[in-house]
Amino acid sequence: DQQVKQNSPSLSVQEGRISILNCDYTNSMFDYFLWYKKYPAEGPTFLISISSIKDKNEDGRFTVFLNKSAKHLSLHIVPSQPGDSAVYFCAASAGTSYDKVIFGPGTSLSVIP
Amino acid sequence: GAVVSQHPSRVICKSGTSVKIECRSLDFQATTMFWYRQFPKQSLMLMATSNEGSKATYEQGVEKDKFLINHASLTLSTLTVTSAHPEDSSFYICSAPRREKLFFGSGTQLSVL
C-alpha cells in the first residue's frame, strides 16, 4: 500500500516553460514533505521541503505547494532548464524532516531544449 | 561536495557469497543512518535504521539475518548482504541526517549472478 503516490511516471516540458510535478499521500500523520532529485546511478539530492504548517515554500526556481485537506502537494519549476531533467521523488515523514522518510515512485522529467 | 560517502559503487558477486557495503558520513557525526534499496523504475524503500552503538531497527518484511547492519562508529555504518541470491540484486543507498536534512550516498549497484 503506497503511502506516497506520484501518478505520472514521466513528464516532458519545453525549456523555459513551467514543470509541475504532482504528489498525493494517504497518511495523515505526515507533517514533513520533501522533494529529491535523482540522476541515474546516483543517490538522491535534496531539493526543497515544506512542513505541514505551511502551504507554500519557494526557493529560487522551485516552489512547493501543499494542500493538506486534499493530501496533495506539487513542485513547480519555472523556468525549466535542460539540466532539470532527472527523476524527481516526492517524500514524506512524520515527526521530523529526516527520520523514516517514505518515498514516492518518482516522476521522470525531461526538459526539451 | 559529498557529505555521505558510499562504497563500493558497483559489485558483482556469485550466488551464496556475502557482500559488505560501507556508508561514511564526511566531516560530521551520524548517530543514525538509513539504508534504502531501489528496484528498477521503483521507489526507494526504507530497509532499516542504523543506530550507533545499538541494534538496527528493521522495517517490516526485511530479514535482519539476511541484511546485517553494523554501526560501530559515529561516521560509519555497514550493510552486509549475507548469502546473496539473484533476487537480492538491487540498488542500495544509505543516508544520514545532518542539520535536519537527509543526505544520501551515491548508492551501490549489487548484481548477484
Side-chain angles (χ1 to χ4, degrees):
Chain A
D1 180 34
Q2 274 191 342
Q3 297 186 64
V4 180
K5 303 176 184 181
Q6 292 175 260
N7 292 323
S8 298
S10 63
L11 176 68
S12 288
V13 172
Q14 206 73 31
E15 180 180 3
R17 306 294 290 268
I18 184 171
S19 295
I20 300 176
L21 296 96
N22 292 303
C23 176
D24 297 287
Y25 62 96
T26 57
N27 189 340
S28 58
M29 299 299 291
F30 288 145
D31 46 18
Y32 283 96
F33 304 92
L34 312 98
W35 286 93
Y36 284 85
K37 178 179 178 180
K38 184 180 182 298
Y39 295 112
E42 293 184 11
T45 55
F46 173 80
L47 202 57
I48 192 169
S49 67
I50 188 168
S51 74
S52 59
I53 62 172
K54 294 186 175 181
D55 55 17
K56 177 183 175 181
N57 189 24
E58 192 172 352
D59 184 2
R61 297 186 297 114
F62 303 92
T63 303
V64 56
F65 295 92
L66 174 63
N67 182 336
K68 281 190 66 180
S69 60
K71 292 192 177 68
H72 176 84
L73 63 153
S74 60
L75 174 68
H76 292 212
I77 306 173
V78 56
S80 301
Q81 300 173 354
D84 296 328
S85 298
V87 176
Y88 289 79
F89 288 97
C90 173
S93 68
T96 73
S97 60
Y98 54 86
D99 193 14
K100 298 192 74 169
V101 175
I102 306 298
F103 285 81
T107 296
S108 178
L109 173 66
S110 297
V111 180
I112 305 163
Chain B
V3 296
V4 175
S5 172
Q6 187 172 341
H7 179 80
S9 59
R10 176 178 290 270
V11 60
I12 301 172
C13 68
K14 291 183 179 179
S15 186
T17 60
S18 294
V19 174
K20 180 186 281 189
I21 303 169
E22 292 188 348
C23 181
R24 294 180 185 274
S25 58
L26 305 178
D27 299 324
F28 73 101
Q29 295 179 338
T31 56
T32 301
M33 290 186 179
F34 303 97
W35 286 95
Y36 288 82
R37 70 186 292 184
Q38 183 187 25
F39 291 105
K41 298 185 179 180
Q42 293 189 27
S43 184
L44 286 81
M45 300 297 295
L46 179 64
M47 298 175 64
T49 302
S50 174
N51 304 298
E52 189 271 334
S54 65
K55 291 182 179 180
T57 306
Y58 290 82
E59 295 302 303
Q60 191 174 12
V62 178
E63 301 175 58
K64 59 182 180 181
D65 295 329
K66 173 76 170 175
F67 300 99
L68 299 179
I69 291 173
N70 188 341
H71 197 147
S73 78
L74 287 170
T75 60
L76 173 64
S77 174
T78 61
L79 168 68
T80 301
V81 183
T82 62
S83 187
H85 291 286
E87 58 264 31
D88 299 323
S89 298
S90 188
F91 190 60
Y92 293 86
I93 311 176
C94 69
S95 67
R98 184 187 187 196
R99 296 175 187 167
E100 299 188 352
K101 289 183 181 177
L102 206 55
F103 291 90
F104 285 82
S106 54
T108 298
Q109 182 64 53
L110 171 63
S111 300
V112 185
L113 306 178

